[in-house]
């Protein structure tokens, strides 16, 4: 199912808890909230969140508390809540950063969220009841570059970060103000305690490697996947007690985002304009399964090579009827889970620079994985 909510590129999007509304960033300083109208088979614009002064770079919608958090190049973050009149109201978060915020993510229990930035630090924010405002604590060492991606472990304590220095780092961000339990040692923890709160660090090969674009924990939290600008997809696995890292260098264009659709299957997408399915086999190796987009190449109005040259000769430009053989016609910027059944993702959405948001169904996922050694 394909949605066109405007002419602007979609930087990112996020769903509410029951998937009846969607928040879209149209590559600007605004967030558009849409609601699906089944009777009209169309989307209706409900609200426009325009508090930020510069481009919004990240958004996340908490499904249980129904709060939206946004961050921007203006170095601010806002937590949005609905008032009695059904209007979204912003609350400023003091990030205390000197450069643009780049990404944001709620923790699973929705009591805190993390914001990455170009200031070589992460702001972990929580609500201080006594003063009735959102405050932040910084994670600085050993980050030496822009934070490009974030994801939380299911235990709410471990935060995975990807940076532009080719590294993925895991931090223990236990906060006594909102976390009731004590610090818990996980399978990700290393014996190196030279850097406080650093749980683990992985290098995405500084020679011929690339900065990290996106990362995600699986539902159990024993596998972490990340995609980088060297067109690679990497999985770190602690399911057997020790950390095992496997990297697959693909021939595709670089991926931007990745999500887990089962405990062993991953969907990644980016500059190639097509979601790709990968899986983890019994040897913990990453292997390609198939393309999710099975569209046929379009030949609009009988386009041919001769017509291209004729158009170029007459108008000094190539005929604009040319289209890619994928539903998305430009880079995919964000993947989001839409529906799940028995810990398996059945539907997910993608947004792209072509202004489209597409809902993908994975009804034949078992068939695609059948016969593979997983």
């Amino acid at each position: 199912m394909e949605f066109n909510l405007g002419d602007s590129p979609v930087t990112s999007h996020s769903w509410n808890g029951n998937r009846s509304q969607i928040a879209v960033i149209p590559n600007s300083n605004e967030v558009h909230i849409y609601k699906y109208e089944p009777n009209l088979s169309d989307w209706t614009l409900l609200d426009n969140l325009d508090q930020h002064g510069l481009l919004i770079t990240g958004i996340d919608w908490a499904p249980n508390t129904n709060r939206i958090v946004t961050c921007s190049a203006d170095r601010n973050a806002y937590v949005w809540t609905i008032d009695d009149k059904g209007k979204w109201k912003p609350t400023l978060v003091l990030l205390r950063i000197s450069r643009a915020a780049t990404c944001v993510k709620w923790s699973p229990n929705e009591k805190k969220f993390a914001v990455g930035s170009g200031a070589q630090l992460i702001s972990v924010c929580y609500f201080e009841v006594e003063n009735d405002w959102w405050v932040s604590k910084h994670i600085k060492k050993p980050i030496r570059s822009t934070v490009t991606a974030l994801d939380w472990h299911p235990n709410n304590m471990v935060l995975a970060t990807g940076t532009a220095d080719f590294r993925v780092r895991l931090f223990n961000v236990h906060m006594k103000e909102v976390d009731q339990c004590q610090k818990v040692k996980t399978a990700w923890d290393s014996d190196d305690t030279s850097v406080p709160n650093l749980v683990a660090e992985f290098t995405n090969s500084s020679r011929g490697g690339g900065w990290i674009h996106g990362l995600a924990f699986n539902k159990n939290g024993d596998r972490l996947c990340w995609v980088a600008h060297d067109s690679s997809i990497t999985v770190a696995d602690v399911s057997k007690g020790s950390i095992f890292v496997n990297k697959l260098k693909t021939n595709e264009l670089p991926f931007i985002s990745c999500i887990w659709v089962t405990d062993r299957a991953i969907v990644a997408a980016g500059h190639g304009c097509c979601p790709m399915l990968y899986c983890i086999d019994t040897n913990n190796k990453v292997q390609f399964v198939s393309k999710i987009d099975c569209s046929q190449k379009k030949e609009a109005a009988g386009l041919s090579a001769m017509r291209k040259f004729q158009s170029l000769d007459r108008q000094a430009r190539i005929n604009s009827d040319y289209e890619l053989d994928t539903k998305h016609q430009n880079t995919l910027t964000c993947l989001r889970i839409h529906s799940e059944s028995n810990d398996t993702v059945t539907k997910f959405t993608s947004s792209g620079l072509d202004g489209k948001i597409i809902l993908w169904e994975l009804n034949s996922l078992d068939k695609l994985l059948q016969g593979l050694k997983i």
Side-chain angles (χ1 to χ4, degrees):
M1 188 179 295
E2 183 178 313
F3 309 118
N4 287 294
L5 302 179
D7 298 327
S8 302
V10 178
T11 306
S12 185
H13 70 284
S14 188
W15 293 92
N16 68 341
N18 61 10
R19 303 306 191 256
S20 62
Q21 297 181 24
I22 187 172
V24 176
I25 304 175
N27 196 37
S28 68
N29 66 327
E30 300 178 352
V31 176
H32 296 169
I33 308 294
Y34 292 91
K35 180 180 180 181
Y36 188 68
E37 301 289 351
N39 298 332
L40 303 175
S41 298
D42 200 1
W43 294 84
T44 301
L45 181 63
L46 293 182
D47 211 337
N48 182 24
L49 316 184
D50 57 358
Q51 193 69 24
H52 284 288
L54 294 175
L55 176 69
I56 296 177
T57 54
I59 186 171
D60 199 21
W61 197 330
N64 299 316
T65 56
N66 198 34
R67 294 182 298 201
I68 297 175
V69 60
T70 58
C71 66
S72 167
D74 62 8
R75 300 173 295 167
N76 291 324
Y78 287 95
V79 174
W80 303 80
T81 55
I82 294 183
D83 61 16
D84 297 336
K85 298 180 180 179
K87 289 293 184 180
W88 289 94
K89 298 298 181 184
T91 301
L92 180 64
V93 182
L94 299 177
L95 297 180
R96 298 182 292 119
I97 56 177
S98 59
R99 296 193 178 182
T102 55
C103 49
V104 63
K105 188 76 174 181
W106 283 105
S107 65
N109 63 9
E110 303 174 14
K111 293 183 178 180
K112 54 189 175 183
F113 61 87
V115 180
S117 72
Q120 303 178 10
L121 59 83
I122 302 164
S123 297
V124 182
C125 309
Y126 65 94
F127 189 74
E128 196 171 70
V129 179
E130 293 80 5
N131 295 313
D132 192 31
W133 60 12
W134 290 87
V135 296
S136 63
K137 292 186 177 181
H138 286 171
I139 299 175
K140 296 182 179 180
K141 295 183 179 180
I143 301 172
R144 291 293 180 267
S145 188
T146 298
V147 179
T148 56
L150 298 168
D151 196 35
W152 289 88
H153 190 278
N155 67 3
N156 295 286
M157 303 296 172
V158 176
L159 177 67
T161 66
T163 53
D165 59 0
F166 305 170
R167 285 174 171 79
V168 171
R169 299 181 178 90
L170 277 66
F171 295 95
N172 190 319
V173 289
H174 173 271
M175 307 179 77
K176 62 182 181 180
E177 293 85 356
V178 293
D179 297 322
Q180 301 301 322
C181 60
Q182 300 295 320
K183 288 186 179 181
V184 178
K185 186 176 178 65
T186 68
W188 293 100
D189 288 79
S190 65
D191 296 328
D192 184 8
T193 57
S194 58
V195 180
N197 299 328
L198 182 64
V199 172
E201 180 174 322
F202 307 99
T203 302
N204 195 59
S205 176
S206 58
R207 174 178 289 183
W211 57 88
I212 310 303
H213 280 304
L215 47 74
F217 279 106
N218 67 348
K219 188 171 282 292
N220 295 328
D222 55 10
R223 291 187 178 94
L224 175 66
C225 171
W226 64 85
V227 291
H229 199 68
D230 60 349
S231 300
S232 66
I233 178 169
T234 308
V235 173
D237 190 334
V238 294
S239 60
K240 297 182 180 179
S242 58
I243 299 179
F244 181 86
V245 180
N246 183 263
K247 178 178 179 178
L248 175 65
K249 188 72 176 292
T250 73
N251 294 322
E252 306 295 331
L253 292 175
F255 298 119
I256 298 295
S257 181
C258 61
I259 56 173
W260 290 86
V261 292
T262 72
D263 190 45
R264 285 180 171 270
I266 306 155
V267 171
H271 292 283
C273 307
C274 177
M276 315 285 281
L277 179 64
Y278 293 85
C279 73
I280 315 301
D281 62 18
T282 53
N283 296 320
N284 281 337
K285 291 187 176 181
V286 184
Q287 65 178 93
F288 172 73
V289 179
S290 71
K291 293 183 178 181
I292 302 296
D293 189 348
C294 299
S295 303
Q296 298 296 318
K297 187 174 181 63
K298 300 177 182 178
E299 296 182 358
L303 180 65
S304 65
M306 180 59 71
R307 287 188 59 203
K308 286 185 185 180
F309 283 109
Q310 289 173 345
S311 176
L312 182 62
D313 181 53
R314 291 193 307 266
Q315 305 174 19
R317 63 181 178 85
I318 296 176
N319 195 305
S320 61
D321 289 337
Y322 177 74
E323 294 185 8
L324 299 176
D325 59 348
T326 54
K327 292 183 178 179
H328 277 289
Q329 295 295 298
N330 208 330
T331 300
L332 275 71
T333 57
C334 179
L335 298 177
R336 296 281 187 175
I337 294 173
H338 182 276
S339 304
E340 295 180 88
S341 177
N342 299 324
D343 294 333
T344 299
V345 175
T346 56
K347 296 179 182 179
F348 71 92
T349 53
S350 61
S351 59
L353 296 181
D354 55 1
K356 296 179 182 177
I357 296 177
I358 297 179
L359 177 65
W360 305 89
E361 295 190 21
L362 294 173
N363 296 330
S364 58
L365 183 60
D366 293 338
K367 185 178 180 180
L368 292 173
L369 298 176
Q370 189 176 6
L372 298 173
K373 296 179 180 179
I374 61 172

